[in-house]
Amino acid sequence: MAAHFVVVGGGLTGLSAAFALARSGHKVTVLEKDNFDYDSDGGVCRMSPNMSKIFFQWGYEDRLRQIAVKSNYTIFTGYNNNEILGSHTWDEEYLFETGGDFIFAHNADLRRLVFELAAQAGATIRSKTEAKSIDMVTNQVTLASGETISADAFIGADGLHGICRKAVLNGQPDKVKPTGLVMYNGLASGKEVRADPELAKMWESPNLYVSCGNLRAALQFPLGGTDDYAIQVYVPDNGSRLPPTRQEFLSAIGDARPAVRKCVSMATRITKLPVEDRAHIEDWIHEDGPLLLLGGAAHPYPPGAIQTGGVSLEDAGLLGKLFSHLSSADQIPSFLYAFQDLREKRCRDIQQQELNIVQLITLPDGPHQQGRDAKMKTNYAKGLSVFHGDEGELAEQWEVNRITFTYDPEDDADNWWIQWGALRERSKNNPTESKPIEIPVQQVGVYV
């Protein structure tokens, strides 16, 4: 059966979901309130193997590599000095096991790529088309123009502040706990970076530099495609939500080491976002009908998180694979609830991991920070990875990385179909064969 899906939101999440669903044979309409003005997007993406391998599996490895740069090496330094604390190399054997690579790219280039993929797969993509409200009693979305669109199911990919998350929450509070940090993001011109002798050495190899300090941390890395160098800095939150200036950025970074300060002094397209710890919402699906939240609308991550894009592509891959098995409209609720069941724990765990990483690299000066640095330095002196060892936060992070990076969403969907979906369909079609298969309510999906 070919169902009609309306995807609200034309970012990376919405477009990748549109591609995955259209690729599975469904009719898809994407609604995006803005123009697809990619050149104005100064966001960046550090892609971990679980994200890049989805592009590889979809058959677009060559296209991805044209707009990205591969990185295998991470260097940890002090925040206000050039002392090397430690390093880590992502060796080829490990990457082969994960099925992907570590890749740096512009958000704009990734959005442009998935836009093309979704359009080529047959999705209808409408720009400057704002969804004003969504009604799950009538299964309709109403546009700012007054036009209404009906569908078999709706995908809410319009982010943290979009209408879909608000509709699912239905007046419930969106609980937020500030961490006391904000992240500044900026882009430095590759030409300017290469003109500086110190920064030129950093540019020569596509490494990730992480500077760890007292309630501050900086990340620096090159980008594929356009000739840019990314600078992201976590600093204490001063409470201001005005558009940031370069002077404000320079003031916020404090006594950062010269390589960080130089990049910030070159930064353009500067943004600033608070680092927040958001409580998990109980339901990703509207209580009255087939509206499913995806990506940041369901599970927002802190700015700068390496898994923001990866989890969005995982959502898309799993959703498309689940709905490749659709044969009748009455399966839609069970597939949507299966999606949340399969994704919820992983997404919650990753959110906590990302917050832990920010906390680890911004530790305040003191015994905890000294222990972290001492462990890194000891390993570095021995030529070992910062993650080497059998215990401690760094060793735990290594095991977390291994589990996170080797995950395959399509395998997850296939396993669910074999264990639950197909058995349930057979029991429906052959009622006298045996006792019907019973599936937990949250997996079947019941709209009350």
Side-chain angles (χ1 to χ4, degrees), residues 286-417:
H286 198 286
E287 62 181 357
D288 293 327
L291 165 60
L292 170 70
L293 301 181
L294 238 59
H299 38 75
Y301 292 156
I306 191 173
Q307 286 299 332
T308 299
V311 170
S312 289
L313 253 72
E314 288 178 5
D315 281 356
L318 191 141
L319 187 71
K321 192 65 172 180
L322 279 177
F323 277 93
S324 70
H325 299 292
L326 189 71
S327 59
S328 63
D330 66 357
Q331 291 175 301
I332 292 175
S334 64
F335 282 18
L336 295 181
Y337 278 89
F339 177 90
Q340 180 172 347
D341 279 348
L342 292 171
R343 296 293 294 153
E344 188 171 17
K345 183 180 186 304
R346 177 173 172 83
C347 292
R348 289 189 179 198
D349 288 348
I350 288 176
Q351 182 190 42
Q352 188 59 55
Q353 292 162 20
E354 294 290 356
L355 288 167
N356 289 346
I357 290 171
V358 174
Q359 181 184 45
L360 182 63
I361 62 176
T362 62
L363 284 173
D365 289 346
H368 199 171
Q369 164 264 325
Q370 292 165 8
R372 177 202 64 191
D373 292 358
K375 177 63 175 176
M376 284 188 177
K377 291 177 184 178
T378 298
N379 283 348
Y380 187 67
K382 296 178 180 178
L384 301 173
S385 163
V386 293
F387 299 116
H388 180 79
D390 298 324
E391 58 183 17
E393 286 179 313
L394 294 168
E396 290 173 7
Q397 186 60 51
W398 172 249
E399 179 60 17
V400 165
N401 288 344
R402 187 190 65 78
I403 295 170
T404 301
F405 297 158
T406 55
Y407 173 80
D408 189 315
E410 294 196 358
D411 282 353
D412 218 7
D414 281 339
N415 289 337
W416 177 85
W417 176 249

Side-chain angles (χ1 to χ4, degrees), residues 71-369:
S71 177
N72 284 344
Y73 196 57
T74 302
I75 300 169
F76 295 85
T77 73
Y79 182 80
N80 55 9
N81 58 61
N82 291 329
E83 180 183 16
I84 295 179
L85 301 177
S87 65
H88 176 73
T89 300
W90 302 101
D91 65 74
E92 292 299 324
E93 182 178 347
Y94 176 83
L95 292 174
F96 179 80
E97 180 187 353
T98 68
D101 277 329
F102 280 90
I103 292 178
F104 304 146
H106 290 79
N107 279 349
D109 289 336
L110 290 174
R111 286 187 67 197
R112 187 180 290 111
L113 173 57
V114 293
F115 179 100
E116 293 173 4
L117 300 186
Q120 290 168 6
T124 299
I125 305 172
R126 298 176 57 175
S127 64
K128 298 192 74 174
T129 306
E130 183 177 3
K132 293 294 289 185
S133 63
I134 190 162
D135 187 338
M136 286 297 98
V137 175
T138 60
N139 274 17
Q140 287 185 330
V141 60
T142 300
L143 308 182
S145 64
E147 177 187 355
T148 59
I149 302 176
S150 300
D152 296 302
F154 296 83
I155 305 301
D158 51 345
L160 182 60
H161 304 293
I163 65 166
C164 294
R165 183 177 174 95
K166 291 178 182 176
V168 170
L169 285 172
N170 193 26
Q172 299 176 46
D174 202 348
K175 300 176 183 177
V176 184
K177 179 181 178 182
T179 65
L181 298 173
V182 294
M183 190 204 76
Y184 286 85
N185 178 84
L187 297 178
S189 160
K191 182 179 179 180
E192 288 188 73
V193 168
R194 290 189 296 273
D196 181 274
E198 180 183 17
L199 298 181
K201 292 180 181 178
M202 296 171 64
W203 177 276
E204 288 172 3
S205 57
N207 299 325
L208 169 65
Y209 287 85
V210 182
S211 304
C212 305
N214 180 24
L215 296 175
R216 286 177 167 84
L219 288 77
Q220 296 169 270
F221 50 97
L223 294 167
T226 308
D227 189 23
D228 285 326
Y229 197 77
I231 174 72
Q232 297 178 321
V233 188
Y234 294 100
V235 300
D237 187 358
N238 66 5
S240 171
R241 294 296 178 261
L242 296 174
T245 63
R246 185 185 294 174
Q247 188 55 48
E248 176 190 333
F249 195 178
L250 277 167
S251 177
I253 64 174
D255 60 345
R257 69 193 187 97
V260 173
R261 181 162 288 277
K262 289 175 184 178
C263 274
V264 172
S265 69
M266 302 172 183
T268 61
R269 286 186 276 182
I270 300 167
T271 59
K272 178 177 66 174
L273 292 170
V275 181
E276 299 169 331
D277 183 357
R278 287 188 171 267
H280 302 285
I281 60 175
E282 185 175 346
D283 299 308
W284 299 357
I285 302 160
H286 198 286
E287 62 181 357
D288 293 327
L291 165 60
L292 170 70
L293 301 181
L294 238 59
H299 38 75
Y301 292 156
I306 191 173
Q307 286 299 332
T308 299
V311 170
S312 289
L313 253 72
E314 288 178 5
D315 281 356
L318 191 141
L319 187 71
K321 192 65 172 180
L322 279 177
F323 277 93
S324 70
H325 299 292
L326 189 71
S327 59
S328 63
D330 66 357
Q331 291 175 301
I332 292 175
S334 64
F335 282 18
L336 295 181
Y337 278 89
F339 177 90
Q340 180 172 347
D341 279 348
L342 292 171
R343 296 293 294 153
E344 188 171 17
K345 183 180 186 304
R346 177 173 172 83
C347 292
R348 289 189 179 198
D349 288 348
I350 288 176
Q351 182 190 42
Q352 188 59 55
Q353 292 162 20
E354 294 290 356
L355 288 167
N356 289 346
I357 290 171
V358 174
Q359 181 184 45
L360 182 63
I361 62 176
T362 62
L363 284 173
D365 289 346
H368 199 171
Q369 164 264 325

